[in-house]
Every structure is written in structure tokens, then in C-alpha cells.
Amino acid sequence: MITLTLAEVATIVGGTLHVRRDESAETVVSGVVDTDSRNMQPGGIFVAKPGDTTDGHRFVGAAVANGATLALVEHLVDEDITQIVVADVVMAIADLAREVVARVRAHGTLKIVGITGSNGKTTTKNMLARILQDEGETVAPIASYNNEVGAPLTMLRVTDTTKYLVSEFGASGPGEIARLAGLVNPDVSVELMVGMAHAGGFGGIEATVKAKTELVHALAPGGTAVLNADDPRVAGMAPVAEAQGNDVVWFGHAPTADVRASDVTVTASGTTSEVLVDGATIPMNLKVLGAHHVMNALAAITAARVLGIEPATSIARLETMDLAERWRMQVLGNDRVTIINDAYNASPDSMAAALRTLAQITEPHERTVAVLGAMSELGEFDGEEHDRIGLLAVRLRIQRIVVVGSAARRLFISAIGEGSWDGEPVFFDDADAAFEYLKGELRDGDRVLVKSSNAAGLRFLGDRLGGLFS
């Protein structure tokens, strides 16, 4: 974070400053800002956020022990640290993030990219950050820091020398992206796709479109919307950008895309394609598995192109990435048994893409095994979407379907109803039972996909299976 005095912080967040006796209102802070006391460093600001299972106020002492200089609190805590009392610490860090970014932007060359979409946000964010980091100081979210807490905490990592801020914007309901993106008003807004992820929270696909369009509305004057030419719902956002006087550039497979891909091939060692841009054809060889990640790469290349980075340079940097993110198409195991751990998150679109990738990378003499858990936040669409995935798994001729958890039982029943062509699907109540079964079931030549939403916890099952064959 930039350097601020305690008095400035208090004014920005609208709080009451309680200064420790050996400090003054002019004492400066410039360290890390975090809700986790374990991440504190000397000079840091600890945010005592109340939670569902615990209360950050209980950990102010631990933050002090780790060097925190200031605590943002909702009530005074009996600890030897300067405190600013605010009505809501989440609103306070949003206000602080807005001001910090505005100050850096006002006197520097900071460029801001916002990314949203039903799938692919974190992978695209990581790809773009990989491209940008060789150009100058780049701040991007850790893991999926894309909500009302994570997004401001990421923004607060900018310094006076930061050249690029990449912000990932998730949402569980209308208005959330508008609030978060409105803190920084990106120079470039990237819209990946609109699918069924979190549709339950939005109330349907049209409401989801409206919510995702909030990022285009939030563009800074003179900004650019980077849109998916293959998704009609995203393409429909172009008039919004144009009405604001902003530019639109396109990525995708469609011939109208400014940056497009062709000849996509997926193997167990990676994903290859040709990228057509500015009249040139550039081969791209990604180590990341999955045809769907080509679209994420195109989005990152297009955003970087808007920022003045040549596509060939971007592609060369993307080809150095071994992994998009832990638990996202992460390849584990060995030459005998391959485990693809993609269980950090799941939506109907990403589940389908992962299953297709499993089928694509498996040779005729090998066996496909899909270990599947529930997809979260689908609301009234939950049943039909789990049905659809169960049917798809069978139609892709996945040879062993292992369903885990009661929330995914509908998927299991649908797969049975469709009729697996090589053995009946099996169901287990929990990951431990599934692990015991798979220990005896997996054999040489198996390609195993582990896929579920985060809440299902199958990412840890994927890690355990990878450990068996490491």
C-alpha cells in the first residue's frame, strides 16, 4: 500500500482514531492490509472482520504480535495497538481502496484491467498477470480474491510504482460487480462468458447478463471493452460500451474476432492452436490442458494488446506457464495414472468443458474415469443442470463415473438412467469412501478427472489421489 498517516486513513474510512500512547495521528502506515492476522508484517493494517464462524476482533492480538501497526475495528479491543473504529470494516476497506488507487492513478502510469465472466476469471487473470509482469510492477489477486473483501484487499496492494492492476470481479447477486468495479473504473473490461454459474443467486440467465454487463458500465472514459465474439450474450454488451464512447475489441473463434484461434488440439501434454491477429498467424503451445483455456488465453492476449503489448510477446510468455492455478486442470500422478484435479470450482459450462477434455486426451487403450461432485449456487436450475452433466458423461463414453456427495445424487441417477456403456456409475456419500474405492479401482492407463464446486471439497480428494501415484 502507499504511505498514509493514521489521520489520513481515519478520514478516508470515516472512522474514529484511537492512537496508541507512543504514536501520533501523523504516524505513517504503508504495509500489507489483510483480514488474516497470520499475513501481518511490520507496519501492516489488520482488518478485524466479523465472520460466520469466528470474529476477527479475537485475532487483533495475534496481528500485533506479527507486527501490525493499525487495526480497523468495529469496536475497541483491549490490545496495545492504534485502532480506527468504523461502522463496517468491509465498507471501510472499500473506501480505502478507492482512495489509494485514485491517488496512484493521479500521479502515475497505472493501468487497470477488470475481468469477469461465469467461468475462466482466475485462469485469465493469471495469464494476463504473467504477460504484464515482465512489463512492470503488476498487482493481481491471490487465488480467487474477487469478492467484497478480496477485491479491495487486492487493490490495496498497489504502490506508487505499480504499472498494472488486474482485478477479478465475481458476484453472487445483482449490483456486486458495479460496487466493486466502481471503486477503480477499469481502463479495460474483459467479459469472458455468461453461463449458468451462480444463476440461482441472480434469478436466471438474463439477470446474470445484466449483472455481468455492470463491468462494461464501470469502464473509465476512453476505456476499452474486450468481449467474447463467440458468446451472443457477451456480444450484446457492445452497444453499452459504444454508447459511453468507449472502444470494443473482440476475441474468440468467430471470423469477426480481432484476436482469434483456429486448429485447436488437446493432448495430455497441453493445448495447441493457431492465433490469428493483425494479419499474422502465430502458433501457441500451452502447457495448460483444455480447449476452453484457449479462450482464456485469447482474452488475456487481447487485453494485453489493448495495453500495447504485441501478441507474439504475450504468447511466448503464456507458453512458460506450467499451471493456470492450483486445483484448476492441475495434472498430478505419473505416467501410469494421470489425475486431473479441477475441483476448485464448477459450473455446468466448466464441468462440461472438463469432461470433454478428459475424453479428448485419453487414447483408445486408456480408460476415462470421472470423479464428480456437486455444482453449487444453481438455485432452481440445480436439478436439470446436474441431469445434463450426468447425461453428457455417459454420452462422452466416460468409462467409470464416480459421484460423490448427496448434493450430486441427481447427477448419479441421470447417468444410470442414460445407461453407462461400460459399467454402472457408482455413488459414495463422502470423499473418504470414494478414496477407498478408487485406491482399489484405479489401474495403469487411467486418466482421472476430479471435478466439483469448491464447497464439495473434492479438490482434497484429488490431491490424495495424486499422492497415490506420485
Side-chain angles (χ1 to χ4, degrees):
M1 194 184 78
I2 65 173
T3 299
L4 296 169
T5 66
L6 294 172
E8 284 180 302
V9 176
T11 299
I12 292 167
V13 302
T16 303
L17 178 62
H18 298 266
V19 182
R20 198 174 70 172
R21 57 184 173 273
D22 59 343
E23 295 178 340
S24 75
E26 298 309 307
T27 298
V28 299
V29 290
S30 61
V32 65
V33 183
D34 211 305
T35 57
D36 190 334
S37 62
R38 295 168 295 185
N39 294 335
M40 281 296 101
Q41 299 169 8
I45 302 175
F46 178 63
V47 183
K49 178 183 172 295
D52 295 331
T53 58
T54 189
D55 186 343
H57 293 79
R58 295 175 51 200
F59 299 95
V60 173
V64 173
N66 287 331
T69 295
L70 172 65
L72 289 179
V73 296
E74 294 182 2
H75 58 79
L76 283 175
V77 177
D78 185 17
E79 295 290 350
D80 187 24
I81 185 173
T82 294
Q83 301 172 47
I84 296 176
V85 180
V86 296
D88 186 324
V89 294
V90 174
M91 291 182 62
I93 58 172
D95 291 338
L96 187 58
R98 180 191 293 109
E99 180 64 18
V100 166
V101 172
R103 292 191 185 194
V104 174
R105 210 175 202 170
H107 64 76
T109 59
L110 178 66
K111 292 294 182 181
I112 300 172
V113 181
I115 300 172
T116 195
S118 298
N119 298 298
K121 294 184 294 297
T122 299
T123 297
T124 303
K125 170 263 298 183
N126 287 341
M127 287 179 163
L128 182 57
R130 173 62 194 91
I131 295 169
L132 297 179
Q133 68 186 23
D134 287 352
E135 301 291 321
E137 182 180 315
T138 299
V139 171
I142 299 166
S144 293
Y145 267 36
N146 61 21
N147 62 10
E148 63 179 358
V149 175
L153 291 181
T154 298
M155 297 167 190
L156 286 167
R157 287 168 46 212
V158 302
T159 70
D160 291 318
T161 56
T162 301
K163 188 171 183 179
Y164 301 106
L165 168 63
V166 181
S167 288
E168 176 185 338
F169 298 113
S172 56
E176 192 169 348
I177 292 175
R179 288 192 297 274
L180 295 176
L183 299 176
V184 293
N185 296 114
D187 301 289
V188 181
S189 290
V190 180
E191 296 276 358
L192 297 171
M193 65 171 297
V194 177
M196 293 300 297
H198 313 299
F202 291 107
I205 197 69
E206 294 309 317
T208 305
V209 173
K210 185 176 180 180
K212 297 300 182 184
T213 307
E214 291 169 8
L215 183 56
V216 177
H217 282 291
L219 268 170
T224 301
V226 173
L227 304 182
N228 180 350
D230 298 352
D231 187 331
R233 297 186 180 103
V234 172
M237 299 177 189
V240 175
E242 293 164 345
Q244 298 173 170
N246 290 319
D247 294 330
V248 175
V249 295
W250 302 91
F251 69 93
H253 298 281
T256 54
D258 298 289
V259 180
R260 65 188 179 95
S262 65
D263 300 324
V264 178
T265 302
V266 182
T267 68
S269 59
T271 308
T272 64
S273 63
E274 302 283 340
V275 177
L276 293 82
V277 55
D278 299 328
T281 300
I282 309 168
M284 181 168 67
N285 302 296
L286 300 175
K287 298 175 187 176
V288 181
L289 293 184
H292 52 299
H293 288 314
V294 171
M295 288 295 286
N296 299 330
L298 292 178
I301 294 164
T302 307
R305 178 172 171 264
V306 172
L307 296 171
I309 301 169
E310 290 295 326
T313 300
S314 295
I315 290 169
R317 292 171 183 172
L318 291 179
E319 289 178 337
T320 68
M321 295 182 68
D322 293 316
L323 179 67
E325 180 85 15
R326 186 183 180 192
W327 299 318
R328 286 178 168 87
M329 299 303 286
Q330 181 179 7
V331 179
L332 305 170
N334 55 30
D335 293 338
R336 297 185 298 106
V337 178
T338 301
I339 310 295
I340 304 169
N341 193 352
D342 193 34
Y344 187 83
N345 217 335
S347 68
D349 294 306
S350 69
M351 185 79 85
L355 285 168
R356 291 190 181 100
T357 298
L358 175 65
Q360 288 170 331
I361 68 170
T362 304
E363 300 294 334
H365 65 280
E366 298 170 336
R367 184 174 67 154
T368 50
V369 180
V371 184
L372 307 176
M375 300 175 287
S376 301
E377 300 181 48
L378 294 175
E380 63 182 289
F381 308 102
D382 185 90
E384 64 188 78
E385 292 300 328
H386 281 89
D387 283 348
R388 187 167 70 87
I389 295 303
L391 298 179
L392 177 65
V394 175
R395 291 169 184 172
L396 288 172
R397 296 194 168 190
I398 304 301
Q399 292 155 279
R400 178 62 69 198
I401 301 170
V402 180
V403 182
V404 184
S406 59
R409 185 177 286 277
R410 182 84 173 252
L411 189 161
F412 168 65
I413 293 170
S414 296
I416 290 177
E418 182 70 3
S420 176
W421 75 288
D422 184 20
E424 289 297 311
V426 293
F427 174 83
F428 297 96
D429 287 320
D430 56 53
D432 287 339
F435 178 73
E436 291 302 318
Y437 165 78
L438 289 163
K439 276 200 305 184
E441 173 66 20
L442 296 183
R443 62 189 190 222
D444 287 0
D446 282 351
R447 305 283 193 187
V448 186
L449 170 70
V450 183
K451 181 70 174 171
S452 73
S453 283
N454 203 346
L458 295 198
R459 61 195 185 281
F460 303 117
L461 173 60
D463 286 345
R464 292 174 71 188
L465 292 173
L468 282 179
F469 302 100
S470 60

